[in-house]
Amino acid sequence: MSKTIGVLGCGWLGQPLAQSLVLKGHQVKGSTTSTDKFKVLENLGISPYQIKLTEEKVEGNITSFLQELEVLIVNIPPGLRKTGNGSFIKRIEMLLRHVEDSKIDNVLFVSSTSVYGAVEGDITEETNPNPITNSGKQLAQIEKLLLANKRFDTTIIRFGGLIGPNRHPINHLAGRTGLTNGCELINLIHLDDCILMIETILNEAYWGSIFNGVYPYHPTKKDYYTREAEKRGLDAPQFIKTEQTIFKKTIKSHLFYVKSHQLLTTIVS
């Protein structure tokens, strides 16, 4: 059934997601922080809006963007590396004031496996988060904020490291030396599987849930990135042994598989 869907944040993941939703017959509104991208979105059949979240307000015509939406997909990275100690929580709180005044029934929030932080072992959606980074801590708080809101139903997707066209960690790891995390396990997911998971949630109405999004292949970073470098003709990154604590965690997309779905796109080149 066709839906009217808003994709807040048409970046590396949001734009191809919105495009895929259009091709499947949905009416899609997409936001960007710059009008420079309007023509690109329009050519893909996406209705473009310039929206920017700040800690004081939402800039742009957010009322028009949210109008008539049945589902809102919030796909905005915290961006805390650029803003230092800025509050992503306050930006989302500004957004929620408008969402609560709209007629939106469902919100899908794109989060990150960084909320698990220092937790080790096999991790499922039932595992209690223990974030250690500023970004992870704020994402964990936002998840709680959204899930506690009774005005609409929220589903959270915690994606692992994102890879896909023009995006792979080996591109900035190649040739580096003195890396100390070679014993850690990879927890990655391909762009195509991100879109698959989101569309499955929409199609099956899996609301009020938390999903992990990680491909079921978890070699060590040393083994994986060495092989990926070799396949690309790049200098392999050099990992050294270290006495520092290494968190070994295998993040499983448990709920997605329990519901008889699978991730389909390999993360091996």
Side-chain angles (χ1 to χ4, degrees):
M1 181 182 295
S2 176
K3 294 181 175 65
T4 304
I5 301 169
V7 179
L8 191 66
C10 285
W12 183 84
L13 166 58
Q15 181 176 312
L17 168 63
Q19 180 181 5
S20 180
L21 292 171
V22 169
L23 292 174
K24 289 178 173 58
H26 300 290
Q27 301 297 313
V28 182
K29 297 181 180 182
S31 84
T32 175
T33 57
S34 171
T35 56
D36 294 344
K37 204 171 183 179
F38 272 24
K39 193 64 177 178
V40 172
L41 296 180
E42 288 173 346
N43 289 340
L44 296 174
I46 304 161
S47 300
Y49 288 79
Q50 185 180 20
I51 305 292
K52 182 178 180 180
L53 305 187
T54 74
E55 295 177 19
E56 293 79 29
K57 62 180 179 178
V58 178
E59 298 177 359
N61 195 347
I62 186 66
T63 301
S64 179
F65 175 75
L66 298 177
Q67 189 174 8
E68 298 180 353
L69 293 187
E70 299 167 70
V71 178
L72 173 64
I73 300 172
V74 181
N75 176 48
I76 301 175
L80 298 176
R81 292 180 181 177
K82 297 180 181 179
T83 59
N85 294 321
S87 176
F88 189 44
I89 297 172
K90 288 183 179 179
R91 282 184 273 154
I92 295 299
E93 286 176 339
M94 289 296 110
L95 171 66
L96 288 182
R97 294 182 183 182
H98 296 276
V99 176
E100 288 171 348
D101 289 336
S102 73
K103 296 182 179 179
I104 291 172
D105 295 319
N106 304 111
V107 172
L108 192 154
F109 181 69
V110 176
S111 187
S112 165
T113 54
S114 65
V115 300
Y116 291 116
V119 179
E120 295 191 83
D122 289 346
I123 295 172
T124 72
E125 294 85 354
E126 299 298 321
T127 304
N128 291 325
N130 185 24
I132 55 179
T133 65
N134 183 24
S135 176
K137 291 176 181 178
Q138 293 202 38
L139 285 172
Q141 287 298 113
I142 290 168
E143 288 183 6
K144 291 179 180 179
L145 187 69
L146 290 167
L147 291 169
N149 196 305
K150 303 303 181 183
R151 165 59 189 79
F152 47 80
D153 289 328
T154 297
T155 283
I156 307 292
I157 303 185
R158 296 168 176 162
F159 284 134
L162 304 178
I163 67 170
N166 304 314
R167 179 169 178 163
H168 198 288
I170 192 57
N171 293 326
H172 68 264
L173 290 175
R176 292 182 60 182
T177 61
L179 300 177
T180 60
N181 59 351
C183 291
E184 292 182 2
L185 307 179
I186 64 162
N187 290 281
L188 303 175
I189 185 170
H190 193 279
L191 171 66
D192 291 347
D193 274 339
C194 294
I195 294 173
L196 170 67
M197 287 194 72
I198 291 172
E199 292 184 338
T200 300
I201 290 168
L202 297 179
N203 293 338
E204 302 294 336
Y206 291 147
W207 299 112
S209 302
I210 297 175
F211 288 86
N212 288 336
V214 176
Y215 191 79
Y217 177 60
H218 307 276
T220 65
K221 290 184 177 181
K222 179 180 179 179
D223 289 345
Y224 177 74
Y225 290 125
T226 297
R227 289 196 296 267
E228 289 297 308
E230 291 172 350
K231 291 175 182 177
R232 292 169 168 78
L234 301 172
D235 292 333
Q238 301 301 308
F239 295 88
I240 61 174
K241 291 184 178 180
T242 177
E243 298 300 322
Q244 72 184 48
T245 301
I246 299 295
F247 296 112
K248 288 191 175 182
K249 52 179 174 278
T250 302
I251 301 175
K252 299 178 177 293
S253 299
H254 178 71
L255 183 57
F256 199 63
Y257 280 77
V258 164
K259 292 182 178 294
S260 301
H261 306 292
Q262 292 185 340
L263 299 179
L264 304 176
T265 306
T266 181
I267 57 174
V268 176
S269 299

